[in-house]
């Protein structure tokens, strides 16, 4: 059947060891069908996001096609899983998969299996993020939203401040929009992955050597390009897309004056649907040519 070993064992137990009845039981439960779809690449789907004052959660659930993302049943499911994450102490995908699913008879993993059987595509709980602050807000932004809190690119940004919460959240949403557009890799230079910085430096050194310029000039060239790299990947060093002029750090200072209290960016998370998943590239022309030749 292609179902997992433990599911097969349960099927045999439920049916007194009878093989045919066990196969029928697996099919009835949707487990056999789900297992057979498990090898398919699932890089579409939805990102779900929710926030409630000082906490926020974001989940990515993948399916095979964009059509499923427009399915109301799938949208309700992603929204339900996101709500579950926001309202509980779940800290990993494994925790989420094993959590009881509201409105269902089993866990979130069981609900995924049912969705696979019902809709007919492979699906997966890919990742989740949870952010909270003791004082301040967790703001959100969803790009390409199909409905509130569901879309293609989601951002959580946590801001610590004792200032006006409404104004703070308004700034937080703008900052989240910036993060969605600019895709920073770290909050600041101190948070940048040392391996990424070293790799970039090596590339710049090799490029500078090819210029044939003196060593002291090369060193200045590298320093300048590293500063440019910081401006591209570090949030506080990026040019704020909302005004197109100031650095994000300056925008934070201006917002702090507006709300009457210091603002600290405690962290952020950005999920772009399907990023990092190796997708199968179909060569339609080659398929047609092969079919014609056959």
């Amino acid at each position: 059947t292609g179902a997992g070993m433990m599911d097969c064992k349960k099927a045999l137990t439920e049916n007194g060891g009878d093989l045919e009845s066990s196969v029928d039981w697996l099919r009835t439960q949707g487990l056999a069908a789900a297992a057979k779809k498990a090898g398919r690449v699932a890089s579409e789907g939805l990102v779900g996001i929710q926030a409630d004052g000082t906490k926020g959660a974001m989940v990515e659930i993948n399916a095979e096609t964009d059509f499923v993302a427009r399915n109301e049943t799938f949208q309700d499911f992603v929204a339900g899983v996101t709500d579950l994450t926001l309202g509980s102490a779940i800290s990993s995908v494994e925790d989420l998969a094993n959590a009881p699913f509201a409105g269902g008879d089993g866990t979130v993993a069981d609900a995924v299996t049912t969705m696979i059987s019902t809709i007919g595509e492979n699906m997966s709980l890919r990742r989740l993020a949870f952010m909270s602050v003791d004082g301040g807000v967790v703001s959100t932004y969803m790009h390409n939203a199909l409905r509130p809190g569901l879309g293609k690119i989601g951002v959580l940004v946590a801001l610590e401040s004792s200032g006006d919460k409404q104004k703070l959240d308004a700034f937080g949403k703008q900052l989240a929009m910036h993060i969605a557009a600019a895709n920073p890799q770290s909050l600041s230079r101190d948070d940048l992955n040392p391996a990424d910085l070293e790799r970039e430096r090596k590339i710049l050194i090799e490029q500078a050597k090819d210029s044939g310029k003196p060593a002291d000039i090369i060193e200045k060239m590298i320093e300048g390009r590293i500063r440019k790299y910081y401006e591209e990947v570090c949030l506080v060093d990026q040019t704020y897309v909302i005004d197109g002029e100031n650095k994000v750090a300056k925008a934070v200072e201006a917002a702090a004056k507006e709300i009457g209290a210091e603002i600290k960016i405690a962290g952020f998370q950005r999920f772009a649907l399907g990023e990092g998943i190796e997708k199968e590239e179909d060569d339609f022309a080659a398929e047609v040519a092969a079919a014609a030749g056959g």
Side-chain angles (χ1 to χ4, degrees):
T1 62
M5 183 176 66
M6 296 308 295
D7 290 327
C8 290
K9 180 179 179 181
K10 185 176 180 180
L12 289 167
T13 302
E14 292 285 334
N15 294 277
D18 183 85
L19 289 176
E20 290 189 8
S21 298
S22 298
V23 171
D24 291 343
W25 185 88
L26 284 169
R27 293 181 62 190
T28 300
Q29 299 297 314
L31 295 171
K36 289 180 179 178
K37 295 178 176 68
R40 300 180 187 172
V41 175
S43 58
E44 295 293 337
L46 284 171
V47 174
I49 196 168
Q50 293 287 346
D52 182 14
T54 58
K55 60 183 180 179
M58 186 162 56
V59 175
E60 180 180 350
I61 300 181
N62 297 124
E64 293 178 52
T65 67
D66 184 56
F67 295 108
V68 170
R70 301 177 186 281
N71 181 297
E72 188 173 338
T73 300
F74 181 72
Q75 291 179 5
D76 290 342
F77 173 65
V78 177
V81 173
T82 308
D83 287 341
L84 175 64
T85 305
L86 183 62
S88 62
I90 292 169
S91 61
S92 68
V93 173
E94 291 73 21
D95 289 344
L96 182 58
N98 293 321
F101 185 62
D105 296 327
T107 65
V108 171
D110 294 330
V112 171
T113 298
T114 300
M115 291 290 295
I116 293 172
S117 178
T118 302
I119 294 179
E121 288 193 9
N122 185 29
M123 297 179 190
S124 66
L125 295 169
R126 187 183 181 205
R127 53 182 173 167
L128 65 87
F130 180 84
M131 303 200 79
S132 65
V133 291
D134 292 330
V137 298
V138 174
S139 301
T140 69
Y141 172 69
M142 180 59 71
H143 189 63
N144 288 338
L146 295 183
R147 79 184 207 195
L150 298 175
K152 303 289 188 178
I153 300 177
V155 176
L156 292 171
V157 58
L159 301 177
E160 295 178 351
S161 179
S162 60
D164 184 281
K165 295 294 188 291
Q166 189 172 355
K167 291 182 179 179
L168 182 64
D169 188 45
F171 172 68
K173 289 185 182 300
Q174 288 189 324
L175 185 57
M177 290 176 67
H178 167 92
I179 292 168
N183 191 19
Q185 303 303 302
S186 70
L187 176 57
S188 67
R189 301 180 186 189
D190 293 337
D191 301 312
L192 194 61
N193 187 332
D196 291 341
L197 179 59
E198 182 61 26
R199 182 163 55 249
E200 186 69 18
R201 186 181 294 277
K202 286 181 179 179
I203 292 171
L204 293 176
I205 289 173
E206 291 303 316
Q207 291 176 343
K209 284 181 179 178
D210 292 339
S211 69
K213 296 183 182 299
D216 59 333
I217 300 298
I218 286 178
E219 185 61 31
K220 290 180 180 179
M221 288 172 59
I222 293 171
E223 289 177 4
R225 290 176 181 178
I226 287 293
R227 283 196 298 272
K228 181 66 174 176
Y229 175 69
Y230 287 143
E231 292 172 358
E232 292 174 353
V233 302
C234 299
L235 175 59
V236 296
D237 290 321
Q238 289 179 330
T239 300
Y240 193 39
V241 297
I242 304 301
D243 63 26
E245 297 179 1
N246 295 304
K247 299 297 184 186
V248 169
K250 289 292 184 182
V252 172
E253 291 177 5
K257 292 179 181 178
E258 176 70 20
I259 70 170
E262 183 181 354
I263 298 174
K264 177 185 176 183
I265 305 174
F268 69 89
Q269 289 282 350
R270 179 185 185 274
F271 282 1
L273 182 68
E275 62 187 347
I277 298 177
E278 186 174 346
K279 302 178 183 180
E280 294 179 349
E281 298 293 338
D282 295 326
D283 189 337
F284 184 67
E287 289 182 9
V288 172

